[in-house]
Amino acid sequence: AIEVVEDKEEDLVNRAPIVTVMGHVDHGKTSLLDYIRKENVIAGESGGITQHIGAYGVTLDNGQKIAFLDTPGHEAFTAMRARGAQLTDIVIIVIAADDDIMPQTKEAISHAQAAGVPIIFAINKIDKPNANPDKIKERLAGMNLLIEEWGGKIQSHDISAKTGLGVKDLLEKVLLEAEILDLKSNPNKPAQGAVVEAFLDKGKGYVSTIMVQHGTLKIGDYLLAGKHHGKVKAMQDERGHVITAAGPSTPVSILGLDGAPTAGDKFNVFEDEKEAKQIAAKRSQLMREQSVRTQRH
Ligand code: GDP
C-alpha cells in the first residue's frame, strides 16, 4: 500500500507556487502565458524555443521560481479538481481593461473561491487607448471583491500582455502571495503529484507531462498514474533538456508509461513494481465494471 508518513518539520523546504491562469475568452490568457514563457528563457538558450508540454517553470531575476500550468481556461482547472488533484496554489484571473466583467470572468472567480485558492487579478490590455482599468476595479468592488489599492485584501496589477508592461510586478505579487501561503514540501521521498496532460507520440510512444508536488522523481522510478504504469525511461523539461530528477513544483515530461493517463490523475512512485501493476489492473477492472453498469442503465 501507499505509505502515509507525516513529514517532519525539518524535512520540509520551500517550494515554488503552482499558478493557473483563467479568465474570459480573448481577455489575454494565452498572451500572458506566452509572454512569461518567452521572457524567462535564459539568455543564450536554443533561440527561446520551448515545447508546449502543458506546464512550465520560470526563474525570476532574484532566483525565485514559479510553475505555470500552461492550459488556460477553467476547463482544465475543474477537470483536475473533479479528479481530486489540487495542483493550483494561486489563480491569476485576466480581465481585459477595454471590456467588462464577463460571464467566464465570474465563473473563474467562483471556481477559485470554491477551491479556496487565492486570486490575483491581472487587469490586461492597458496599452489600449480605450482601456479603463478603474471601471474594472469598480465593478469588482461592486461584487465585494476589493483589491488592495482600494483598501481590500485581493492583489491586482495593471498589465499589458502584449508589451509586457507590469508583468514583472504581477509575478512579484504572485511570489508575495506564495510567501503568505508558506508553501512547503519534502523533497526527500518518492514522488507524488498529478498528470497535466498526456498523448501518444508516433515516434516516442506515450508522453506524459506530470507535476511533481511532493518528493523527487528520478529516472528508473516505477510510476502509477490513474490506470497506467511504467518505469520512467526519460525526463525532459519544457525546453527539451534532459533531466534526471525533478523535485517539488517541477513540471516534467516523461516517457515510459503503458498508456496516456487523464489530466488530473494523481500519480505515485512505487518501490515494488509488482504492487503497482496489481493496483493498475484493479483500477482498469473497476473502470470496466463501472462502464458496463452505466451502459445498462
Ligand atoms: P485568451 O482567449 O484569453 O487566451 O486571449 P488571447 O491571449 O488569445 O488574446 C486575445 C486577443 O487579444 C489577441 O488578439 C491578443 O493579441 C490580444 N491581446 C492580448 N493581450 C493584449 C494586450 O495586453 N494588449 C493588446 N493590445 N492586445 C492584447
Side-chain angles (χ1 to χ4, degrees), residues 24-31 124-125 127-128 160-162:
H24 196 73
V25 62
D26 281 347
H27 278 200
K29 299 176 294 290
T30 313
S31 305
N124 191 30
K125 307 200 188 185
D127 60 288
K128 288 183 111 175
S160 166
K162 191 178 173 184

